[in-house]
Amino acid sequence: MAPSNTTNVSVNLVGGMLFVATAERSRGTVVLDSDPGHGGVGGGMMPMEALLASLGSCTAMDAISILRKKRQRVTGMQVQVHGQRAEEYPRRYTHITLEFVVRGIGVDPAAVQRSIELSQTKYCGATASLNAEITYTFRVEEEGEDA
């Protein structure tokens, strides 16, 4: 049995370059594929896209949890993640920007900023695992305003 601080994911080839990743604990799955130029058919996220999705969702989950503890009336949250990659292989991300849009009723912008800051500096393991400059912006939209 693996130690409790170990995460296990199984990645299985379906065909071509299409893989299905399954987490041992949650049983959640992610479909991954390559682009057609590299043998894929576009049947799932590319691995580097999944990396950005993981970062965005990790930070969003931290932020929404903190905002709920602060009793902020958040009705929606969206995070756009933009990654800039190096030209040379392994073409790692060098800079990533997270753009948060938080919708709600009377949501305090200072509480939003603090929740994102805490995620980025203390709680988000995805942020801590990446060797990239990560920055963020945010805006708060009052419920009922046009998006």
Side-chain angles (χ1 to χ4, degrees):
M1 183 165 187
S4 63
N5 65 343
T6 300
T7 302
N8 298 306
V9 175
S10 174
V11 180
N12 296 292
L13 178 64
V14 174
M17 293 295 281
L18 187 72
F19 288 82
V20 174
T22 305
E24 182 179 279
R25 190 180 64 139
S26 69
R27 299 284 180 222
T29 61
V30 176
V31 178
L32 300 130
D33 200 357
S34 184
D35 63 52
H38 292 96
V41 296
M45 274 195 206
M46 290 186 280
M48 293 299 282
E49 293 171 334
L51 185 62
L52 293 182
S54 295
L55 173 64
S57 59
C58 181
T59 304
M61 288 179 192
D62 289 341
I64 196 69
S65 177
I66 294 165
L67 288 167
R68 287 175 177 159
K69 287 176 185 169
K70 292 177 176 276
R71 300 194 190 286
Q72 296 296 301
R73 294 175 63 193
V74 175
T75 58
M77 178 183 288
Q78 180 182 40
V79 184
Q80 293 287 328
V81 186
H82 309 282
Q84 295 175 350
R85 295 177 66 181
E87 293 294 325
E88 300 296 320
Y89 283 98
R91 299 203 57 229
R92 71 177 186 84
Y93 286 113
T94 56
H95 185 261
I96 300 169
T97 302
L98 303 162
E99 287 183 43
F100 289 81
V101 178
V102 178
R103 293 186 63 81
I105 302 166
V107 175
D108 180 3
V112 172
Q113 180 167 1
R114 183 66 178 146
S115 71
I116 298 168
E117 178 183 309
L118 282 170
S119 174
Q120 289 297 287
T121 60
K122 185 174 183 178
Y123 295 116
C124 181
T127 297
S129 297
L130 291 171
N131 180 22
E133 178 186 11
I134 301 172
T135 58
Y136 67 88
T137 62
F138 74 92
R139 75 176 185 270
V140 176
E141 294 180 351
E142 188 67 22
E143 187 65 36
E145 288 183 0
D146 291 334

